[in-house]
C-alpha cells in the first residue's frame, strides 16, 4: 500500500519512522515533509492543506491511504475532500475536528453528553466576559476559542491576570480571529495525563498514557510551550484510573460522537486533569500529540500502518494494543524559544546520540544544508530513551541528549525525575 503522510514536524518524523517499518507498506510519501522525514519518505511538493493538489498526487502516485499529522489540515476539511475523492484517510473530517478547532464546541459537546470537565462559560462580548470573571472566585482559565498553536490558554491566578488575558485575546487579538470567542473555565488542580487512542467511531484503542511537560523550565516554571518532554507510561494514571476514564470519559465521548452524527476515524487525544474529584477533560486534540508521539510510537508493538488503515476503514481490531517498557522524551529547543527562537545554528553529535542503545532522535525543526544539520525552528529535536522502566529510559535519554550540541540549546533537566522515584508522586 502506498501511503501519504501530511506534515513536517517531530511528530511526523516519528510517524514516518514507524510507518516505514510496516510489512504492508509499498512506498511512503510526505507532503511537505522535512529533511529528516525524507530519510523515510519521498517528499512531494504540495501544501498540507491544499486538498485538490493532494488528491491529484494520490491518483498520480497510486496512494490509497493518507495519514494527517497536524490539526490545521483537519480543521480545513482536507480529510473530507480526500474521502470524497475516494481515498482512505486517517484523520477526522472537519465537523468532528471541531472538538479541537473550537474549544466552545468541545465544551458544549461535553456538556451535552455528560463528559466530566471544568465548569465553564463561553463569551463573545468583552464587557460581559469581564463581568463574568466574578463567577470564578477560585481562579480562572481564559481560553481563546479557536486554534492558537497551543498558546491560546492563560491560567490566571487572580482577577488582574484574567482581565489582562481577556484584553489580550479579545481586544488586542493576540491570536487573531481565534479570540473572537473565549471560554472561561474554573481552575482545576492535579496531574495531567494525555490519553491518545486510535478511534474508528465505534472503538477507542488507547496507547500508553503519557504526561507532557508544557512549561519551559524545570519544576514547571516559565512560559507555556508546545511541550518540553514526555514520560510514558505515566504513573499519574494507574490501571484502575484508566478503567475509570474509559467508563466516565471514553464511553460518553464515543456515544456522543455517534448521537451527533460525527464520524471519527483517526487519532483521538484526550487531555485529562486527574483532580481529587476524579478525571476532568481539559481538551481534545484530533491528531497525535507532539511530543507525545515521539515517546509513544517507540513503545508500540506491532504495525502502525495496519492500525491507521483499519481506523480509516472503520474496522479497528478488538484490542487492546500491546506496548513494552517505558520512554522518556526530552525536547532540545532553540535559544529564545518560545518567544523568538534563533535559527540557523549548526547541530553536532546527532549520529553519536542516535547510535546509543535504546535511543531515537526525532527532528522537529531542522534543515540539512550540504550534509550539515542546522536548527530551523523553536523545538529542534526530541530525544527519546526507551528502557525497561522510566529510570532506565531517563538515563538513556539524557545521556544521548548531552551528546548533541548547538549554540543556545535549551532543555529541561527534570523530565521523568519525579516519576522515576519509587511510588506515586503527589
Ligand atoms: P488546553 O489546551 O485546553 O489543554 O490547555 C493548555 C494547558 O492549560 C493544559 O495542559 C493545562 O496545563 C492548562 N489548563 C487548561 N485548562 C485548565 C483548567 N481548567 N484548570 C487548570 N489548568 C488548565
Ligand atoms: N503535546 C500537546 C499537543 O500535542 O497538543
Amino acid at each position: 500500500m502506498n501511503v501519504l503522510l501530511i506534515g513536517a514536524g517531530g511528530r511526523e518524523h516519528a510517524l514516518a519512522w514507524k510507518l516505514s517499518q510496516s510489512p504492508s507498506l509499498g512506498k511512503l510519501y510526505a507532503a511537505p515533509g522535512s529533511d529528516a522525514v525524507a530519510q523515510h519518505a519521498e517528499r512531494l511538493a504540495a501544501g498540507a492543506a491544499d486538498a485538490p493538489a493532494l488528491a491529484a498526487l494520490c491518483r498520480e502516485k497510486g496512494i490509497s491511504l493518507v495519514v494527517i499529522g497536524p490539526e490545521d489540515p483537519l480543521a480545513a476539511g482536507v480529510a473530507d475532500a480526500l474521502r470524497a475523492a475516494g481515498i482512505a484517510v486517517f484523520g477526522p473530517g472537519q465537523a468532528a475536528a471541531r472538538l479541537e478547532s473550537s474549544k466552545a464546541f468541545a465544551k458544549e459537546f461535553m456538556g451535552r453528553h455528560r463528559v466530566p470537565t471544568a465548569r465553564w462559560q463561553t463569551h463573545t462580548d468583552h464587557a460581559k466576559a469581564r463581568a463574568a470573571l466574578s463567577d470564578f472566585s477560585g481562579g480562572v482559565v481564559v481560553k481563546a476559542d479557536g486554534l492558537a498553536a497551543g498558546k491560546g490558554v492563560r491560567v490566571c491566578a487572580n482577577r488582574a491576570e484574567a482581565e489582562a488575558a481577556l484584553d489580550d485575546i479579545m481586544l488586542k487579538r493576540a491570536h487573531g480571529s481565534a479570540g473572537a470567542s473565549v471560554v472561561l473555565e474554573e481552575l482545576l488542580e492535579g496531574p495531567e495525563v494525555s490519553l491518545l487512542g486510535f478511534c474508528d467511531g465505534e472503538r477507542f484503542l488507547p496507547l500508553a498514557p503519557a504526561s507532557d511537560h508544557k512549561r519551559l523550565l524545570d519544576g514547571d516554571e516559565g512560559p507555556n510551550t508546545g511541550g518540553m518532554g514526555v514520560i510514558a507510561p505515566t504513573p499519574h494514571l494507574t490501571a484502575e484510573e484508566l478503567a475509570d476514564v474509559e467508563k466516565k470519559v471514553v464511553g460518553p465521548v464515543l456515544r456522543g460522537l455517534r448521537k451527533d452524527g460525527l464520524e471519527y476515524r483517526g487519532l483521538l487525544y484526550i487531555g485529562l486533569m486527574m483532580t481529587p474529584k476524579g478525571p476532568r477533560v481539559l481538551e481534545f486534540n484530533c491528531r497525535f500529540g507532539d511530543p507525545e508521539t515521539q515517546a509513544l510510537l517507540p513503545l508500540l508493538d506491532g504495525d502502525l500502518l495496519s492500525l491507521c488503515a483499519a481506523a480509516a476503514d472503520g474496522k479497528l481490531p478488538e484490542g487492546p494494543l500491546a506496548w513494552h517498557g517505558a520512554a522518556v522524551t526530552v525536547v532540545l529547543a532553540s535559544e529564545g524559544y518560545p518567544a523568538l527562537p534563533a535559527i540557523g545554528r549548526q547541530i553536532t553529535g546527532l549520529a553519536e546520540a542516535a547510535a546509543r542503545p535504546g535511543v531515537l532522535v526525532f527532528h522537529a525543526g531542522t534543515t540539512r544544508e550540504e550534509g550539515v544539520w542546522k536548527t530551523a525552528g523553536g523545538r529542534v529535536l526530541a530525544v527519546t530513551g526507551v528502557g525497561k522502566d522510566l529510570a532506565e529510559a531517563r538515563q538513556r535519554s539524557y545521556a544521548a541528549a548531552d551528546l548533541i550540541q548547538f549554540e543556545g540549546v535549551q532543555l529541561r533537566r527534570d523530565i521523568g525525575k519525579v516519576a522515576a522515584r519509587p511510588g506515586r508522586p503527589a
Side-chain angles (χ1 to χ4, degrees):
M1 182 192 307
N2 292 346
V3 176
L4 170 61
L5 171 65
I6 295 184
R11 162 185 49 214
E12 286 75 22
H13 189 197
L15 285 165
W17 167 79
K18 187 74 177 167
L19 286 170
S20 68
Q21 295 165 24
S22 170
S24 49
L25 181 69
K27 188 156 180 170
L28 183 61
Y29 295 93
S34 65
D35 290 337
V37 166
Q39 295 168 330
H40 307 287
E42 182 183 325
R43 294 180 70 177
L44 298 176
D50 186 350
L54 293 168
L57 283 168
C58 288
R59 279 191 293 273
E60 185 190 320
K61 305 285 186 188
I63 290 162
S64 47
L65 176 70
V66 177
V67 176
I68 301 183
E71 59 273 25
D72 290 332
L74 295 168
V78 168
D80 307 275
L82 292 175
R83 282 195 187 103
I87 300 152
V89 181
F90 182 77
Q94 188 173 43
R98 287 190 77 205
L99 285 175
E100 174 169 3
S101 66
S102 167
K103 291 198 181 282
F105 176 86
K107 295 298 277 192
E108 282 155 28
F109 176 89
M110 288 191 268
R112 205 159 49 241
H113 302 297
R114 300 186 183 279
V115 178
T117 188
R119 184 170 62 82
W120 86 99
Q121 294 178 15
T122 301
H123 289 279
T124 51
D125 181 272
H126 177 259
K128 285 187 183 148
R130 220 179 137 105
L133 290 176
S134 48
D135 298 341
F136 295 87
S137 52
V140 66
V141 183
V142 179
K143 302 185 174 186
D145 174 49
L147 290 178
K151 298 185 184 101
V153 173
R154 314 284 172 92
V155 179
C156 304
N158 53 48
R159 183 159 183 132
E161 277 182 35
E163 286 182 2
L166 282 178
D167 287 356
D168 241 29
I169 294 172
M170 297 192 92
L171 296 183
K172 295 184 199 144
R173 290 292 172 98
H175 312 288
S177 59
S181 331
V182 291
V183 171
L184 304 179
E185 259 184 42
E186 80 182 295
L187 185 84
L188 300 175
E189 277 178 32
E192 285 183 52
V193 174
S194 308
L195 187 65
L196 283 68
F198 292 85
C199 189
D200 65 0
E202 297 290 324
R203 285 200 180 87
F204 176 83
L205 296 185
L207 289 154
S211 286
D212 191 5
H213 295 67
K214 294 238 167 70
R215 300 294 198 95
L216 181 70
L217 304 174
D218 284 27
D220 291 331
E221 304 279 345
N224 257 323
T225 70
M228 292 298 290
V230 172
I231 58 172
T234 173
H236 295 307
L237 196 76
T238 62
E240 301 85 76
E241 286 168 325
L242 173 59
D244 191 45
V245 167
E246 289 187 316
K247 189 168 134 221
K248 291 187 184 142
V249 175
V250 176
V253 168
L254 291 177
R255 286 192 292 277
L257 289 169
R258 282 197 296 273
K259 258 192 190 161
D260 291 355
L262 297 171
E263 190 178 74
Y264 201 106
R265 295 181 175 187
L267 194 290
L268 177 63
Y269 169 136
I270 306 177
L272 295 162
M273 192 166 262
M274 305 304 292
T275 77
K277 292 184 182 161
R280 297 286 182 272
V281 174
L282 294 181
E283 65 164 346
F284 297 110
N285 292 321
C286 293
R287 38 118 191 132
F288 280 97
D290 191 338
E292 285 91 338
T293 307
Q294 294 89 311
L296 290 171
L297 291 184
L299 302 183
L300 177 66
D301 295 325
D303 182 7
L304 173 64
L305 174 50
S306 68
L307 281 169
C308 292
D313 277 354
K315 290 187 206 129
L316 275 174
E318 284 284 337
L321 299 179
W323 66 76
H324 62 272
V328 170
T329 297
V330 175
V331 169
L332 306 191
S334 291
E335 184 176 2
Y337 176 75
L340 265 183
I343 60 168
R345 306 230 165 123
Q346 186 173 339
I347 309 168
T348 59
L350 285 168
E352 293 82 349
R356 294 184 67 97
V359 169
L360 292 148
V361 180
F362 296 114
H363 293 228
T366 67
T367 53
R368 195 171 184 182
E369 290 167 22
E370 291 165 8
V372 176
W373 288 101
K374 294 193 173 164
T375 65
R379 289 187 295 173
V380 178
L381 299 159
V383 182
T384 297
V386 177
K388 61 182 184 306
D389 54 23
L390 285 171
E392 188 178 61
R394 172 177 153 76
Q395 185 276 326
R396 288 181 167 173
S397 170
Y398 276 105
D402 285 335
L403 295 173
I404 301 174
Q405 309 278 324
F406 55 88
E407 191 191 337
V409 59
Q410 301 192 73
L411 72 162
R412 278 180 63 157
R413 286 277 159 202
D414 64 345
I415 309 298
K417 197 169 181 176
V418 180
R421 287 211 299 259
R424 193 159 177 252

